[in-house]
Amino acid sequence: MKDMAQGQPVAAQSAADGFDAHRALMTIQTLCMPDMQGRAPGTAGHDLATEFLAAELKAYGLVPGLDSFAIREIMRLSAQPTFRAQGARLDRELVHRAEFAEHPRSGPMPGPVTGTVSEDAGAGQWAALPAVPRGNAFAELADALVSRGGVGILTAQNADASGFLTKRVQGPPPVGLPVVAVRPDLLADVVGGVVTAHVPLVRVPATGTNIVATLPGSDPEAKPILLTAHYDGVGSDPQRHFPCAGDNASGTAVLCEVARVLTSSAPLPRPVVFALVDAEEIGTLGSGHHARALRAAGVEPDALNLDMAGKFNGRIAIELGPADPAPRHIIAALDSAGRHLGIQLYAGTVSSDNRRYASAGFAAAGIGVGAAHYHSPLDGPERIEPDALSKAGSLVLETIRRLAPQY
């Protein structure tokens, strides 16, 4: 698909003029404080974030409701992981998150596990896997290692551009042995030596909470416009904070600032529903819960979801759905807004909550501006670009203004 919008910025006054990137940045800074603990569901920090955001929407004259839902399990570290290598090529403690990390398919590891490391593990050994089998083959390999008396699996995981092993908080069911991810060069170095590792990854139930508020339109019977962003993060490590600024305090802050602008403006014909959804990082559970509730109530909104608005890379990704019928009115509104603002749009992948609303049959668009880092402790407020926030907020406001008369 070709670029959806191109052009030069225009000087004419627009709906986006009231957007304040500085206010949005202040919201991001609050959401990224260490007390927020990376905003993972089931933590006290997450509850603080929920209370803060509900208060923000209330301050704009909205009446936010909290809609809770059960989360069967979330993965978290119950203590600081350790990894000690003793061998001819490597003899030291490895650094968690920079050199080794938890693996989402790991079985329980209640205490330290010691064994020699071999690429063809037998009794009392760790199996070193430079290449990880896909799908069921991994579980089958783990079962075979259990039958041979293996003590665990070491898999390769490359560091990202930030120098950290990306934090993974969801995956297929655990296998029958402890699994630890290790940077590939270090994995090669531990083969033939002895490893003692303790990575206490636990799985516990939790409660998620969506924050939903409606700005009434002048026509109470009109089809609503739904604006969503997820506010949860991947959570902090026991000894390392994850601010989760770009992903997705940035989108959350833009939504809050859009709410402030619209509540202080003349009423739109259509209602606007603001939904700060939860548990996106563990399977878009909050948006799935919300989409089912809307469908059960017979409400079919036009949905715009914003995920990652912290870094502008020259153009903004738009993912549309469902494909049949195509949401032509949303395409036209986004295209017109982008042209008006001089923001280039393109058809790209936005793998986020927008897909849940599209799967429910709603006309939906995912908007992705970008972030400097992803699931990394370097994803902090200091790396958020105010210009990216402004472009995201302006695009959303202009698109809503164009959708508002259509119902």
Side-chain angles (χ1 to χ4, degrees):
M1 183 174 179
K2 294 181 179 180
D3 290 341
M4 296 174 59
Q6 303 181 61
Q8 298 299 318
V10 295
Q13 185 174 359
S14 71
D17 288 344
F19 187 89
D20 188 337
H22 178 68
R23 290 180 64 101
L25 187 57
M26 290 175 62
T27 299
I28 292 171
Q29 289 168 344
T30 299
L31 289 171
C32 294
M33 294 172 59
D35 285 352
M36 298 288 183
Q37 298 176 290
R39 305 189 304 281
T43 64
H46 172 275
D47 294 345
L48 282 176
T50 304
E51 293 172 8
F52 166 72
L53 291 168
E56 283 286 290
L57 295 180
K58 188 175 181 180
Y60 307 146
L62 297 169
V63 183
L66 303 183
D67 184 14
S68 297
F69 56 94
I71 300 174
R72 184 175 61 85
E73 68 175 28
I74 62 171
M75 294 187 294
R76 71 164 58 124
L77 292 164
S78 61
Q80 177 65 19
T82 58
F83 190 108
R84 180 74 170 91
Q86 295 173 285
R89 289 183 291 176
L90 188 65
D91 188 359
R92 63 178 175 86
E93 294 276 350
L94 270 59
V95 179
H96 179 241
R97 192 63 59 199
E99 297 179 324
F100 78 101
E102 64 281 2
H103 191 286
R105 300 207 67 180
S106 179
M109 198 185 311
V113 176
T114 299
T116 56
V117 182
S118 170
E119 291 183 350
D120 185 22
Q125 294 183 320
W126 288 92
L129 300 183
V132 180
R134 300 280 184 176
N136 290 336
F138 187 56
E140 292 169 358
L141 174 61
D143 289 342
L145 291 169
V146 169
S147 67
R148 298 207 301 263
V151 299
I153 301 172
L154 304 178
T155 68
Q157 182 183 346
N158 288 304
D160 62 16
S162 71
F164 291 97
L165 277 62
T166 300
K167 186 165 186 174
R168 296 178 286 181
V169 292
Q170 65 170 327
V175 297
L177 282 175
V179 186
V180 181
V182 183
R183 211 173 66 196
D185 56 320
L186 300 175
L187 179 60
D189 285 346
V190 299
V191 173
V194 176
V195 160
T196 300
H198 184 211
V199 184
L201 185 66
V202 298
R203 292 168 169 81
V204 295
T207 298
T209 304
N210 292 336
I211 308 166
V212 183
T214 299
L215 175 64
S218 57
D219 183 353
E221 302 301 319
K223 180 179 181 178
I225 299 169
L226 172 64
L227 178 60
T228 68
H230 79 87
Y231 73 97
D232 63 301
V234 295
S236 295
D237 288 345
Q239 296 182 11
R240 195 187 296 273
H241 179 49
F242 278 66
C244 306
D247 185 17
N248 187 37
S250 61
T252 297
V254 168
L255 184 149
C256 288
E257 179 60 11
V258 167
R260 186 192 67 81
V261 172
L262 292 181
T263 53
S264 60
S265 305
L268 300 172
R270 296 172 64 178
V272 180
V273 179
F274 303 97
L276 293 168
V277 294
D278 202 359
E280 189 271 350
E281 299 291 4
I282 51 177
T284 58
L285 301 182
S287 53
H289 174 79
H290 187 224
R292 289 190 296 273
L294 291 171
R295 177 58 68 191
V299 179
E300 296 190 19
D302 290 333
L304 301 173
N305 178 69
L306 182 59
D307 195 348
M308 294 198 285
K311 181 177 175 60
F312 182 60
N313 297 305
R315 55 184 188 160
I316 294 177
I318 306 293
E319 179 175 302
L320 299 162
D324 185 22
R328 299 188 185 281
H329 59 298
I330 293 183
I331 295 173
L334 282 162
D335 182 71
S336 175
R339 290 179 184 278
H340 176 76
L341 296 166
I343 299 174
Q344 185 174 338
L345 311 180
Y346 73 102
T349 299
V350 184
S351 179
S352 184
D353 295 296
N354 45 288
R355 295 185 177 181
R356 285 286 194 166
Y357 296 107
S359 295
F362 307 145
I367 302 171
V369 183
H373 294 284
Y374 175 74
H375 291 196
S376 163
L378 295 186
D379 184 15
E382 69 279 3
R383 291 178 172 83
I384 297 296
E385 299 174 0
D387 181 60
L389 299 174
S390 292
K391 283 182 166 60
S394 298
L395 180 65
V396 169
L397 281 164
E398 286 293 340
T399 301
I400 288 174
R401 292 290 187 186
R402 284 156 172 74
L403 286 173
Q406 305 177 31
Y407 59 95

